[in-house]
Amino acid sequence: QVRLVESGGGLVQPGGSMRLSCAASGTIRRVDRMGWYRQAPGKERELVATITNGGSTNYADSVKGRFTISRDNAKNTVYLQMDSLKPEDTAVYYCNANIMATTGWGTRWGQGTQVTVSS
C-alpha cells in the first residue's frame, strides 16, 4: 500500500517561515510529479507548487518568490519551504504525487497538515 505522510505544519507569525515535508512509502516503482496544494476554509483546493522528477518547478502566482519546492528522489520526499508567510497562506496543505506502484500508475494524496499564519 502506497502512502503519503506529511509533516511540519503548525502556527507561525506573519513574516515567519515554515517547512513542510511529505514522504511517499510502500511498494513504489517510480515517483513522477510531486506537488503541494492547499485548501482554505470556504474555498476550493488550489495548486501551490509542483516539481517533476527532473527538477522542473511550477508555482502559483500568489506564492512565487516566497515558497520553494524541492525533492529528494532517493527518499521519495518532497519539501515546501515557505518564507514571508502571510495570513492568507492559512490553509490545510496537501501533498500530491503521481506514483507507479505494483498496481500501476495512480495519483496519491496525503492526509493534509494545517498551516496557520497569525499573530
Side-chain angles (χ1 to χ4, degrees):
Q1 182 178 3
V2 176
R3 297 176 60 202
L4 293 177
V5 179
E6 298 134 342
S7 61
L11 174 65
V12 64
Q13 292 186 342
S17 297
M18 181 176 288
R19 189 191 196 208
L20 304 181
S21 300
C22 173
S25 63
T27 308
I28 297 171
R29 291 183 174 176
R30 180 176 170 175
V31 181
D32 197 359
R33 193 184 75 163
M34 304 183 82
W36 291 93
Y37 291 71
R38 67 186 181 186
Q39 187 167 18
K43 295 186 177 181
E44 294 186 353
R45 190 173 297 187
E46 62 176 5
L47 170 73
V48 176
T50 62
I51 185 168
T52 67
N53 54 12
S56 296
T57 58
N58 179 54
Y59 294 93
D61 288 343
S62 59
V63 307
K64 282 181 181 178
R66 300 187 299 120
F67 290 11
T68 302
I69 190 171
S70 61
R71 65 190 285 171
D72 184 333
N73 290 334
K75 296 180 179 179
N76 290 328
T77 299
V78 63
Y79 306 95
L80 186 68
Q81 176 67 40
M82 304 183 291
D83 299 316
S84 302
L85 282 160
K86 305 175 181 180
E88 50 263 43
D89 294 318
T90 296
V92 177
Y93 283 70
Y94 296 91
C95 174
N96 167 278
N98 294 333
I99 296 174
M100 176 182 276
T102 55
T103 54
W105 283 103
T107 299
R108 303 294 198 279
W109 290 91
Q111 79 283 4
T113 184
Q114 177 70 46
V115 173
T116 302
V117 184
S118 175
S119 55

